[in-house]
Amino acid sequence: MSKFKLKGPSLYPNLRRSSSGYRNNSDAVNEESLIVPDNKISMKEENGDPLEKGNIKGTGLTTGTSIIMEPGKEYEFPGDKEVLEEPV
């Protein structure tokens, strides 16, 4: 594990952070883009149904890895701590 940590301002200071992402019960569901403070993303609603929002582009903020995520699936962004989400 690296002992170096990046310090400084966020590259996305005006984007909302939401651990519930674009789920229907999220208060961020209508945002144009948001940051999820985790590297494991579930494309399911709270009840287990596929996410109603549709496909979402996820980009790891450390690695830059981008994935078009589909409703009903689970995704992981190894090496990232946060994921930028943008509906497509």
Side-chain angles (χ1 to χ4, degrees):
M1 179 176 241
S2 174
K3 55 184 167 182
F4 299 105
K5 293 186 178 185
L6 295 176
K7 294 184 179 179
S10 170
L11 296 175
Y12 301 94
N14 298 321
L15 289 185
R16 185 163 190 179
R17 283 170 166 68
S18 171
S19 58
S20 56
Y22 285 106
R23 291 186 177 120
N24 280 338
N25 67 339
S26 172
D27 58 355
V29 71
N30 294 317
E31 298 287 328
E32 288 184 27
S33 56
L34 53 85
I35 295 173
V36 175
D38 200 341
N39 71 340
K40 294 178 183 170
I41 306 295
S42 173
M43 291 291 288
K44 297 178 182 177
E45 297 290 348
E46 283 292 317
N47 66 3
D49 289 345
L51 192 73
E52 290 183 22
K53 188 79 171 180
N55 290 351
I56 293 176
K57 178 183 174 187
T59 304
L61 294 184
T62 301
T63 64
T65 300
S66 290
I67 301 170
I68 300 298
M69 302 183 293
E70 299 175 9
K73 297 184 178 180
E74 306 283 331
Y75 295 88
E76 186 169 356
F77 290 77
D80 291 295
K81 292 184 179 179
E82 296 182 312
V83 176
L84 172 65
E85 288 190 345
E86 302 169 285
V88 285

